[in-house]
Amino acid sequence: MESLNRLTWAGNVATNGHPYPPRNELLAVGYMETQKMGYHDDGEQELDDLVSSWSLGAPAEMLFWIKKTHAHPIIDASH
């Protein structure tokens, strides 16, 4: 719970007073240099579209695809 609270605190600091809703879930994942997580959907209806990331190691690249069922008409969700 302390990690989730710290992530929420960091979000509030990073947005400099703009609204930052508290997070409702924290997924802690560790990776070695060649490991990765592929595109997936956990099917959790409770989650919203805000993703926060907190790296405790080397820089990493995060890529997201918008699901066709959630895409706005002007967004290309053909991936």
Side-chain angles (χ1 to χ4, degrees):
M1 193 63 178
E2 179 65 23
S3 294
L4 183 58
N5 291 337
R6 289 175 76 70
L7 186 60
T8 300
W9 169 84
N12 285 319
V13 170
T15 59
N16 198 25
H18 295 316
Y20 183 83
R23 304 293 75 219
N24 63 354
E25 182 171 321
L26 174 67
L27 173 63
V29 182
Y31 297 101
M32 299 306 284
E33 286 184 37
T34 60
Q35 294 178 316
K36 64 181 182 177
M37 180 185 297
Y39 295 112
H40 69 284
D41 178 1
D42 292 331
E44 298 175 68
Q45 300 298 317
E46 303 83 18
L47 302 181
D48 59 23
D49 57 355
L50 179 62
V51 175
S52 303
S53 174
W54 185 5
S55 176
L56 302 177
E61 183 177 276
M62 293 179 69
L63 303 173
F64 297 91
W65 281 359
I66 298 171
K67 292 174 63 172
K68 290 180 183 179
T69 56
H70 292 84
H72 187 276
I74 61 169
I75 297 175
D76 179 12
S78 60
H79 300 288

